[in-house]
Amino acid sequence: MPLNELDLWLQARVGKGAAATDLSMLDGFVAAIVAGPVSMDPRDWICPLLGVARAAFNHGDTSEFAAISAVAVRHNVITNMLSTAPQDFAPIFGRKPNGDIDAGSWCSGFYAAIRLNPSAWAPLLSKDGIESGLLLPILFHCVDRNDCPLIPSAPTGAEADMLRRSAHTAIPAAVELTRQYWMPTRFKASP
């Protein structure tokens, strides 16, 4: 399934329990899985991402399986890009009606993946450590389950609008720095 078809498939499934409702959100979610603190069984993150049952992995002739395959391909593309040419990493951001880049959906997807395992992400979510700054360009766009900003001290008004318009330029580096932060523990040699 090409990415444009995957986007339409996601939009048709809004309200069916998927963590992603569009391609941008899916891309942010997958980027968090690639850059995150732990490796996960694909079924543990793809099923909530797409809102499909684990059994969907067993039926190769369904639209669900085609979507699973497309997600796996995107995962591999992001993994390869961050491993070989991180400076070329380009998130799939949405666009506003006026044509401006809208990173909000992508960031919401990234945060949805964090919520799968918040204890593993805790060092970057704590406000006490300097490491918490790694995710600022992403979390700036996110709200908690009560619709409150994740960064309560974030600017508002015109300053917030300016930051939202330019955040997309900092996000690729934030993803790579987050990946680098977790590499020593995520890829620790087995005993």
Side-chain angles (χ1 to χ4, degrees):
M1 178 181 292
L3 291 179
N4 62 332
E5 288 181 29
L6 180 60
D7 190 29
L8 294 172
W9 185 85
L10 288 166
Q11 292 174 34
R13 292 179 52 82
V14 170
K16 295 186 180 183
T21 57
D22 61 40
L23 185 59
S24 181
M25 188 178 271
L26 179 139
D27 194 60
F29 191 105
V30 175
I33 295 299
V34 171
V38 295
S39 295
M40 297 175 69
D41 182 311
R43 292 169 295 195
D44 292 340
W45 62 269
I46 292 177
C47 291
L49 171 63
L50 298 177
V52 299
R54 294 173 79 84
F57 277 76
N58 302 327
H59 306 288
D61 60 346
T62 65
S63 63
E64 288 85 4
F65 189 83
I68 290 167
S69 297
V71 168
V73 168
R74 185 62 186 159
H75 177 273
N76 292 343
V77 166
I78 293 172
T79 300
N80 185 50
M81 183 65 60
L82 291 175
S83 298
T84 61
Q87 71 281 0
D88 295 335
F89 173 60
I92 300 173
F93 293 127
R95 293 276 178 179
K96 293 181 180 179
N98 68 0
D100 287 349
I101 292 175
D102 181 4
S105 183
W106 189 95
C107 294
S108 294
F110 195 99
Y111 184 59
I114 289 173
R115 287 194 318 254
L116 289 178
N117 193 351
S119 62
W121 284 86
L124 295 187
L125 299 174
S126 167
K127 293 167 182 58
D128 298 333
I130 193 167
E131 300 87 5
S132 65
L134 290 175
L135 296 177
L136 282 178
I138 297 167
L139 298 182
F140 176 74
H141 291 276
C142 299
V143 295
D144 64 18
R145 295 181 193 270
N146 298 318
D147 255 0
C148 296
L150 286 179
I151 304 173
S153 61
T156 58
E159 187 179 1
D161 290 341
M162 185 209 48
L163 288 171
R164 277 190 187 84
R165 283 193 304 274
S166 64
H168 70 278
T169 62
I171 288 172
V175 171
E176 172 55 14
L177 291 170
T178 299
R179 181 178 159 276
Q180 292 295 328
Y181 176 83
W182 294 120
M183 282 184 79
T185 55
R186 181 174 178 160
F187 301 107
K188 187 183 275 188
S190 301

